[in-house]
Amino acid sequence: MNTFLEILKPDFLLHHAVWGSVVAGFVCPLVGVYVLLRRLIFWGVALPQVSAAGISCAFMLEALGLNMITTGEHHEKHLAIVGAVVFTLGAIILLAGLERRASAPSEGRLGVLYVLAAALSILFVSWNASGENEMLGLLKGEIVSISETDFHAMLDLFGLAAAAILLFQREFTLVSFDRDMAMTLGRSVNVWDGALFLIIGLTISLGVMTVGPLVIFGFLVIPPMAALPWARGMMSFSLLSSIIGGLSAFSGFYVSYTRDLPLGPMVVCVACAAYLLSLSAERILRRSP
Amino acid sequence: MKNKAPEPLIRLKNVSLGYGNTLVLTKVDLDVRRGEVWGLLGHNGSGKTTLLKSMLGLIARRSGEVIGRPRFGYVPQKERLDPVYPLSSFDVAAMGTYRAFQWPFGRRRAAGSDVVRRCLADCGAGQLADRRFGDLSAGQKQRVLIARALAAEPEILVLDEPLAGVDITTQQALLPLLKELKERRHLTMLMVSHRISAEKGLFTHVAWIDEGRVDSGPAAGMLASGRISDIFKTEL
């Protein structure tokens, strides 16, 4: 109990790490709801990896003398953001374009993208041996050492993403559920699809740098899976997913801190436990008369 | 003096349609006027849905002209809609009112709710409002989708194979519903079908789609013509 209260104190050493994880836990499932419903789960696997490749590419280019961003206090973070956003949005535009035109199955394309991004991440890191340590930290997600400025920037961006997802929920649901109906109603489906993919891309890019690809994929998929059987409408689905994500992040941090275990894997395991609990409860309720 | 025919709600003039390098339909001429009920008939893969989608503006035409842009209420093939969405029947029907962005909790949104409930009730689906759409039977889903199309306050109600995949009893319930809605709401309808035994009494006009061409005219004459009656011999 003392540890629990200690974590909640504003002067707790890892204050920003706790609340950074929790915010990512609340916001990523809001986006994950659409990743799940539009059956884009493999996007959830591939895009964090692409984002990671973007981070390592940005650092490699810097090491080769291509200074994209002026030096400063948060130089590394900004460099990572640029790399992650450029690669992720580029991959989304490419995938969305191929989705309409290519005849090969989309899972195959995503598989190629994932494995290519994983290979490039390793190659970019190996070409930039001097900054390997800092870069590996960013690739894994540096939530434990997140600074106050980064924490507030993260709050702003995740806050914007969450607000947009909730405010335009009807539009995103309509174009996701029945694209043809949306078009007959005169809605610009490409604009709304583009807006949704942009939010997904930015959330994944930012999330990869704060909590890492593993946790981001976990947050995108596991809380919505746990919430789906209990959801009554899109708003309840989104809010329930978000609450499960936020609570999993906090509980994962607590266990990780008290047992001295790695944070990311612990958060994923706690979220999976919530999913199993949800699944069991649903089965029990379905069997009971 | 002869009565002049009313202006068509939508007119297709010499329209050609296709996908990729394949031309599906050529030189289509079609006028749809207020109050008419059109059956778009033909074999599977003949281009019925392609024609329908071009009228809805969902696919671009290769050549020709489409004059008029009426308000459509669209009832798609229900199998196309993913049942995994945790949407209630009310949520699905309410999509018909999503023509423009509305602020959450606004007055217009509340007014829209009343329209949706009325449409569900008109389609005999009022009691389904709170049930999950994905859990409904085929016939129940069809009623909700018709309610959704009505909520769009359409000038033309467009139905893509509305009786496909529903049992005889449900067909017998849906047809009178469509007839009643047509009378009560003075609807113009376009209905795609690859069989006609059940729907033929509803059509005032028929477009017969075969081998890339469209023949059209009043239902009585078209259904009695040799070509269609030969093909649908058993049904007629």
Side-chain angles (χ1 to χ4, degrees):
Chain A
M1 190 63 190
N2 282 345
T3 316
F4 181 78
L5 292 174
E6 184 193 339
I7 289 173
L8 291 178
K9 282 181 183 166
D11 58 351
F12 176 54
L13 183 65
L14 300 173
H15 176 76
H16 292 130
V18 187
W19 296 111
S21 310
V22 171
V23 168
F26 274 121
V27 176
C28 291
L30 292 175
V31 171
V33 158
Y34 293 96
V35 172
L36 182 72
L37 292 178
R38 293 184 71 140
R39 301 182 185 262
L40 300 175
I41 296 295
F42 288 116
W43 285 43
V45 183
L47 289 179
Q49 194 59 56
V50 169
S51 184
I55 295 172
S56 49
C57 179
F59 276 86
M60 183 201 69
L61 290 176
E62 167 115 325
L64 292 174
L66 282 166
N67 291 320
M68 293 180 287
I69 292 172
T70 51
T71 51
E73 194 190 345
H74 305 292
H75 171 72
E76 280 174 1
K77 275 275 180 217
H78 294 160
L79 196 62
I81 287 174
V82 170
V85 169
V86 167
F87 265 57
T88 308
L89 293 184
I92 285 177
I93 291 166
L94 182 74
L95 287 172
L98 287 175
E99 198 73 33
R100 305 248 176 88
R101 291 181 187 92
S103 53
S106 61
E107 290 86 352
R109 285 194 293 278
L110 285 163
V112 171
L113 183 67
Y114 171 78
V115 79
L116 177 68
L120 286 177
S121 301
I122 296 167
L123 286 175
F124 290 149
V125 170
S126 70
W127 284 332
N128 179 26
S130 58
E132 200 168 319
N133 284 341
E134 295 99 24
M135 202 161 53
L136 285 175
L138 281 166
L139 285 174
K140 284 188 287 182
E142 270 191 330
I143 191 70
V144 173
S145 60
I146 190 170
S147 70
E148 176 138 16
T149 318
D150 288 340
F151 175 70
H152 288 292
M154 178 191 157
L155 277 187
D156 292 345
L157 285 171
F158 272 158
L160 272 177
I165 279 282
L166 295 174
L167 187 62
F168 300 120
Q169 188 178 60
R170 287 180 13 152
E171 281 70 21
F172 293 145
T173 304
L174 177 64
V175 296
S176 302
F177 181 67
D178 193 348
R179 195 179 169 81
D180 286 352
M181 174 73 179
M183 286 171 81
T184 61
L185 289 172
R187 307 310 299 265
S188 309
V189 288
N190 289 334
V191 170
W192 289 110
D193 267 350
L196 180 60
F197 290 150
L198 182 70
I199 295 170
I200 292 174
L202 289 176
T203 307
I204 289 176
S205 305
L206 187 64
V208 164
M209 285 181 312
T210 48
V211 289
L214 173 77
V215 179
I216 278 299
F217 181 56
F219 279 153
L220 286 175
V221 176
I222 306 167
M225 285 289 287
L228 189 57
W230 312 101
R232 298 288 174 266
M234 284 300 287
M235 188 55 88
S236 79
F237 185 30
S238 299
L239 294 180
L240 199 54
S241 302
S242 177
I243 290 167
I244 292 171
L247 289 178
S248 300
F250 186 83
S251 314
F253 188 93
Y254 178 79
V255 178
S256 161
Y257 181 69
T258 51
R259 304 284 170 199
D260 195 20
L261 291 166
L263 176 59
M266 186 45 66
V267 169
V268 170
C269 287
V270 170
C272 281
Y275 171 54
L276 289 176
L277 200 66
S278 160
L279 211 62
S280 312
E282 190 213 1
R283 293 254 163 111
I284 291 166
L285 279 178
R286 203 184 286 172
R287 270 186 214 159
S288 62
Chain B
M1 209 168 95
K2 238 180 164 181
N3 278 345
K4 202 179 155 194
E7 278 296 300
L9 285 170
I10 187 165
R11 166 174 283 170
L12 274 67
K13 273 175 80 177
N14 204 21
V15 167
S16 294
L17 303 165
Y19 299 99
N21 295 324
T22 317
L23 210 55
V24 179
L25 295 171
T26 53
K27 295 180 180 171
V28 180
D29 289 303
L30 199 70
D31 285 359
V32 178
R33 293 188 165 80
R34 200 173 293 279
E36 292 176 348
V37 179
W38 278 83
L40 306 184
L41 307 177
H43 302 291
N44 284 332
S46 58
K48 304 180 297 287
T49 301
T50 305
L51 177 60
L52 192 80
K53 287 192 168 181
S54 80
M55 292 168 96
L56 289 169
L58 301 178
I59 55 170
R61 58 189 180 278
R62 289 292 181 79
S63 61
E65 210 180 342
V66 177
I67 301 163
R69 181 79 182 115
R71 246 188 348 267
F72 287 108
Y74 178 43
V75 182
Q77 293 183 19
K78 58 196 173 307
E79 296 77 16
R80 237 178 24 75
L81 303 174
D82 196 335
V84 77
Y85 282 72
L87 298 167
S88 67
S89 301
F90 179 87
D91 295 334
V92 172
M95 286 178 183
T97 64
Y98 292 1
R99 218 171 264 286
F101 173 76
Q102 287 168 17
W103 289 100
F105 315 113
R107 218 182 295 166
R108 278 173 61 196
R109 196 176 269 204
S113 294
D114 294 339
V115 171
V116 174
R117 291 204 183 277
R118 207 162 46 242
C119 291
L120 281 168
D122 281 357
C123 294
Q127 78 286 2
L128 304 174
D130 296 328
R131 287 189 47 196
R132 202 163 168 150
F133 181 75
D135 295 341
L136 300 182
S137 70
Q140 289 171 328
K141 277 184 184 170
Q142 206 59 275
R143 285 176 187 274
V144 174
L145 292 177
I146 295 170
R148 182 179 73 159
L150 294 178
E153 297 177 339
E155 289 171 279
I156 302 183
L157 182 65
V158 176
L159 303 108
D160 195 355
E161 305 265 14
L163 302 185
V166 294
D167 57 46
I168 298 285
T169 319
T170 310
Q171 283 185 20
Q172 285 169 348
L174 283 176
L175 274 172
L177 169 69
L178 291 174
K179 277 183 191 165
E180 190 195 326
L181 289 173
K182 181 202 164 339
E183 298 302 326
R184 199 186 326 159
R185 291 178 174 248
H186 309 290
L187 285 172
T188 306
M189 291 189 195
L190 281 172
M191 196 186 299
V192 165
S193 181
H194 67 275
R195 48 195 298 278
I196 56 173
S197 57
E199 298 101 319
K200 71 177 193 298
L202 197 63
F203 302 146
T204 61
H205 290 73
V206 164
W208 170 245
I209 301 152
D210 192 26
E211 293 178 350
R213 307 300 284 259
V214 178
D215 276 351
S216 60
M222 288 293 293
L223 293 174
S225 77
R227 209 145 41 119
I228 301 181
S229 57
D230 280 353
I231 288 159
F232 288 114
K233 209 178 294 173
T234 48
E235 286 194 37
L236 286 165

